[in-house]
Amino acid sequence: MKKRAKQTDAGTEPDASASGDRQFVTALQRGLDILRCFRPTDGALGNQELAQRCGLPNSTVSRLTYTLSKLGYLVYLEDIGKYRVGVPVLGLGYACLSGLKVREVAQPYLDELAQHAGNGLLVAMGGRDQFSMIYVACARSEGIVSLQLNVGSRISLARSSMGRAYLAAAAPQEREAILRGIEARTDKERWPQLQSEILRAIEEINTRGFCLNSGEWQADVNSVGVPLPPLHGSGPILALNCGGPAYLLPRERLENDIGPRMVEAVRKIRYAGEGGGR
């Protein structure tokens, strides 16, 4: 039976395949895909919902969720017949965050940017998880209006300024693999426009260090993204963004104020993180 194509951000890594690779454990990959299906805004999910999200047969999902629940990574709620994420997954998340020392270095600069942006606008730093960007650090100033996103939130890799900033910093081979995966998950009619937006953002990063996004992630939300290459030449590529309602972040302000400040903040983060001090 032909395997269903995965259409969500929880899909497999671009070009990942067990074909011809005896070291690749497909069952482990599928189990991790199940865990990736859970989002911070979700309640409990049933096997059918998980199957739809990760593109696996119901019978396979049922075996995987049973195994993950036996290991404690999922908790089965008998009264509704669904699963929620177990505490051991939280332990893995904190282990990851504690290993990202750049978070501690970057946080004061994120705070400064948020205070300058004002009005509750959100400044965040994130890394890639397949076809999503996950926030690993956040800062926001006081204000009535704010995007309801926090550490652990996912946003689109393809449509967000943060994701496009990541793509600009990725090695060409990785970028091409990701773009192929995005194309496979995008309607044919939509792909030319999306590809054009991504390539435009990469060119903006290359020419002025930041890229703008005017309602391309969510309508009436504007943002600016800047890549943060690995410190000391090792570690993951990260990216920063600042976003909020378009009436609080008009394009002119992003272009002439917030964008240049974020490029400078990244320079300071890299300098401090590589031993230069704050």
Side-chain angles (χ1 to χ4, degrees), residues 150-254:
N150 291 289
V151 173
S153 293
R154 288 176 179 266
I155 61 175
S156 169
L157 171 69
R159 294 184 292 108
S160 68
S161 61
M162 177 183 280
R164 293 170 182 179
Y166 177 96
L167 286 169
Q173 184 175 1
E174 179 190 4
R175 182 191 305 152
E176 289 304 314
I178 296 171
L179 290 175
R180 287 195 298 271
I182 294 171
E183 181 180 7
R185 289 159 173 76
T186 304
D187 292 337
K188 290 183 179 180
E189 296 78 12
R190 166 67 176 138
W191 171 241
Q193 180 182 346
L194 181 59
Q195 182 185 38
S196 176
E197 292 170 355
I198 292 171
L199 295 179
R200 184 206 68 222
I202 293 172
E203 179 61 24
E204 289 178 354
I205 294 287
N206 291 335
T207 56
R208 57 184 177 182
F210 61 89
C211 64
L212 302 181
N213 188 307
S214 300
E216 295 163 17
W217 171 56
Q218 287 187 6
D220 301 321
V221 172
N222 289 352
S223 66
V224 58
V226 179
L228 175 59
L231 304 184
H232 304 288
S234 62
I237 298 171
L238 301 172
L240 276 61
N241 73 356
C242 177
Y247 70 90
L248 293 176
L249 278 180
R251 185 179 182 90
E252 294 76 15
R253 189 182 181 205
L254 291 175

Side-chain angles (χ1 to χ4, degrees), residues 21-41:
D21 188 350
R22 298 178 64 183
Q23 298 294 329
F24 192 92
V25 182
T26 302
L28 176 58
Q29 170 208 318
R30 290 175 174 175
L32 294 174
D33 280 348
I34 293 292
L35 295 178
R36 283 193 178 98
C37 286
F38 288 87
R39 303 161 187 158
T41 55

Side-chain angles (χ1 to χ4, degrees), residues 52-195:
Q52 291 173 345
R53 288 191 181 186
C54 65
L56 293 173
N58 289 339
S59 57
T60 300
V61 169
S62 179
R63 293 194 299 272
L64 290 170
T65 53
Y66 175 82
T67 302
L68 289 167
S69 67
K70 286 295 183 180
L71 296 173
Y73 292 104
L74 293 179
V75 175
Y76 183 62
L77 307 176
E78 293 188 12
D79 55 334
I80 59 174
K82 295 185 177 184
Y83 295 87
R84 64 170 176 82
V85 177
V87 171
V89 176
L90 181 63
L92 294 175
Y94 274 102
C96 171
L97 292 178
S98 66
L100 288 175
K101 302 303 181 184
V102 67
R103 291 178 70 245
E104 299 176 10
V105 176
Q107 192 63 55
Y109 300 101
L110 301 183
D111 292 338
E112 287 179 4
L113 285 168
Q115 289 303 315
H116 174 76
N119 292 310
L121 296 174
L122 177 68
V123 177
M125 180 171 69
R128 182 175 76 91
D129 179 14
Q130 300 182 342
F131 297 99
S132 297
M133 296 296 291
I134 297 183
Y135 285 0
V136 299
C138 292
R140 54 169 54 86
S141 60
E142 293 184 3
I144 298 175
V145 178
S146 179
L147 296 178
Q148 297 305 305
L149 298 169
N150 291 289
V151 173
S153 293
R154 288 176 179 266
I155 61 175
S156 169
L157 171 69
R159 294 184 292 108
S160 68
S161 61
M162 177 183 280
R164 293 170 182 179
Y166 177 96
L167 286 169
Q173 184 175 1
E174 179 190 4
R175 182 191 305 152
E176 289 304 314
I178 296 171
L179 290 175
R180 287 195 298 271
I182 294 171
E183 181 180 7
R185 289 159 173 76
T186 304
D187 292 337
K188 290 183 179 180
E189 296 78 12
R190 166 67 176 138
W191 171 241
Q193 180 182 346
L194 181 59
Q195 182 185 38

